[in-house]
Amino acid sequence: MKLLVTGGAGFIGSNFIHYILSEHPNCEITNLDKLTYAGNLENLRDIENDPRYHFVIGDIADRELINNLLHGGYDTIVNFAAESHVDRSILDATPFIETNIKGTQTLLEGARQYRVGRFIQVSTDEVYGSIQNGKFTEKSPLSPNSPYAASKAAADLLCHAYWKTYQLPVIITRCSNNLGPFQFPEKLIPLAITKAWENKPIPIYGDGLNVRDWIYVADHCRALNLAIQRGKPGEIYNVAANQEKMNLELIHQLLDIMGKPRSLVSFVADRPGHDRRYALDAGKITQALGWKPFYSFEQALAATVDWYLNHEPWWRKIKSGEYAKYYDKMYSQR
Ligand code: NAD
Ligand code: TYD
């Protein structure tokens, strides 16, 4: 298996590369990443000298670079590369359009020209929008509410169009909120762990009653591997572990694990357009590909807390760098 993984130095992509190297002894992986604020080669330090792994710095929207790379012959592309943070998309949607839409289309076009055998688009539950009751299936209409979600929905539609028009073998996976090692510490769970560790207030948007459906990143990686091996071209697969939590409930649970007081919760102004609830029906991938999650939310949260507490230098370096200034700017505008 010769894979081009994009965005592999971010959270899920780096977990996925570790997973594939351990599952497929004969694989070959090229990781193409622009190394934005979210890309971090420390995430792959342990495998950087593995002869099956190569790193290329670059932009998925750079057509010449993509064509040069694909000329080398790949059987599979897994596209993780994205601007991924809703709060950043509210401040400035432009890079989301460039990477998530134009970048995806550049990759699709390259895959078409160089006849790549499989294209996995790593998408999100956020393309469906918010749901009050019940769960979204793959047939639910797209109704994205943030610039991030809209850019991911546009990319999904382009994937669909390349399948219908050119029969490019595209598979779209739509996963719920991930937790686990290597997540950039401005997303809710690593933010809360690192703040709590320093006994600093944890910002909770609005009333804290928004619901997210959480999955351990390793379970997501297994689902992606199955989609590569057995997924049907042109299909969409929801991926979720059926573990809904209100933000406030989640943070209380996390503080309890860490032995920190609940008084660290600090309610702050709500996120504009904040989706109230995400919930996915993942019955299709279970039925069609035999996937099911291995990790309960409690196991995943405990493992994630443990990882952050054992990797303090990893997050300290990020939190003391350029990102710190950005974070202050982002929240001073609320
Ligand atoms: P992340 O922000 O941690 O990582 C994104 C990676 O993409 C970074 O390494 C960054 O440098 C790279 N990148 C950004 N722009 C690029 C460009 N133009 N060219 C090349 N590389 C570029 O994101 P993540 O949380 O790991 O998410 C990965 C993918 O999974 C995204 O497509 C996201 O939409 C999707 N997803 C994430 C979640 C979640 O809970 N985190 C859930 C469902 C789906
Ligand atoms: P986030 O990790 O940004 O993921 P997403 O918005 O893509 O689901 O946020 C998860 C939930 O936590 C979401 O409802 C917003 C909320 N949230 C806070 O309450 N405070 C925070 O500081 C952050 C980053 C998020």
Side-chain angles (χ1 to χ4, degrees):
M1 182 163 63
K2 192 169 169 192
L3 283 176
L4 175 62
V5 171
T6 71
F11 165 42
I12 307 174
S14 60
N15 276 281
F16 178 76
I17 289 173
H18 280 115
Y19 178 76
I20 292 293
L21 288 173
S22 69
E23 283 294 301
H24 299 278
N26 297 320
C27 68
E28 201 183 311
I29 301 178
T30 301
N31 172 20
L32 170 66
D33 198 296
K34 190 178 170 183
L35 296 182
T36 66
Y37 76 92
N40 185 351
L41 290 177
E42 291 298 324
N43 300 359
L44 295 166
R45 196 58 80 205
D46 56 330
I47 53 99
E48 68 182 359
N49 295 320
D50 189 316
R52 299 171 297 162
Y53 169 75
H54 317 278
F55 176 69
V56 176
I57 187 165
D59 190 331
I60 58 164
D62 179 342
R63 188 172 299 275
E64 205 182 317
L65 170 72
I66 296 301
N67 287 351
N68 283 339
L69 263 177
L70 292 179
H71 192 66
Y74 286 89
D75 46 64
T76 306
I77 296 179
V78 187
N79 182 28
F80 292 94
E83 287 293 335
S84 69
H85 194 183
V86 172
D87 289 328
R88 287 182 186 248
S89 81
I90 294 168
L91 281 183
D92 181 8
T94 313
F96 290 74
I97 308 305
E98 288 298 320
T99 290
N100 301 2
I101 305 179
K102 191 165 162 247
T104 301
Q105 191 269 332
T106 307
L107 279 177
L108 287 165
E109 192 52 36
R112 176 170 91 88
Q113 281 181 29
Y114 289 89
R115 299 181 187 283
V116 173
R118 194 145 288 205
F119 188 110
I120 310 292
Q121 174 66 7
V122 184
S123 188
T124 164
D125 58 358
E126 303 196 27
V127 299
Y128 297 118
S130 192
I131 190 164
Q132 213 174 350
N133 300 302
K135 290 170 188 288
F136 291 119
T137 71
E138 292 81 355
K139 291 198 165 67
S140 301
L142 300 188
S143 184
N145 293 315
S146 70
Y148 161 67
S151 68
K152 291 294 288 187
D156 283 12
L157 293 178
L158 282 166
C159 289
H160 176 75
Y162 269 72
W163 160 245
K164 284 287 177 187
T165 309
Y166 308 113
Q167 292 76 53
L168 182 73
V170 180
I171 293 169
I172 299 172
T173 59
R174 295 187 178 139
C175 191
S176 60
N177 282 62
N178 286 221
L179 76 160
F182 299 116
Q183 187 168 31
F184 195 77
E186 71 183 17
K187 299 280 174 78
L188 179 67
I189 290 182
L191 178 89
I193 297 170
T194 55
K195 292 260 187 206
W197 186 240
E198 297 180 297
N199 299 308
K200 289 186 177 159
I202 299 167
I204 296 296
Y205 302 161
D207 58 11
L209 303 184
N210 303 66
V211 173
R212 296 294 182 264
D213 190 353
W214 293 93
I215 181 171
Y216 196 49
V217 64
D219 280 328
H220 185 190
C221 291
R222 267 193 313 105
L224 291 169
N225 187 34
L226 276 175
I228 295 171
Q229 307 302 326
R230 292 197 243 141
K232 196 167 155 218
E235 294 291 319
I236 299 168
Y237 299 99
N238 287 346
V239 182
N242 197 15
Q243 307 189 103
E244 292 182 39
K245 293 275 167 195
M246 283 186 292
N247 292 338
L248 190 58
E249 182 190 2
L250 184 162
I251 297 301
H252 282 164
Q253 212 169 326
L254 187 150
L255 289 167
D256 292 350
I257 292 178
M258 293 180 70
K260 298 285 181 180
R262 292 183 176 191
S263 55
L264 287 178
V265 167
S266 162
F267 290 98
V268 299
D270 209 353
R271 168 189 279 173
H274 195 175
D275 283 332
R276 195 65 171 165
R277 175 173 174 261
Y278 297 145
L280 283 185
D281 179 340
K284 178 174 167 180
I285 192 167
T286 301
Q287 269 202 325
L289 307 184
W291 175 87
K292 59 179 185 353
F294 285 169
Y295 295 88
S296 70
F297 179 75
E298 286 66 29
Q299 288 170 322
L301 189 62
T304 305
V305 168
D306 213 48
W307 189 87
Y308 279 87
L309 298 190
N310 284 310
H311 291 79
E312 199 170 333
W314 181 89
W315 55 264
R316 284 251 177 245
K317 193 168 169 199
I318 297 171
K319 290 189 105 165
S320 59
E322 272 304 295
Y323 149 74
K325 284 184 230 153
Y326 185 89
Y327 185 82
D328 289 345
K329 182 177 156 224
M330 186 153 67
Y331 292 98
S332 67
Q333 294 186 359
R334 292 273 168 80

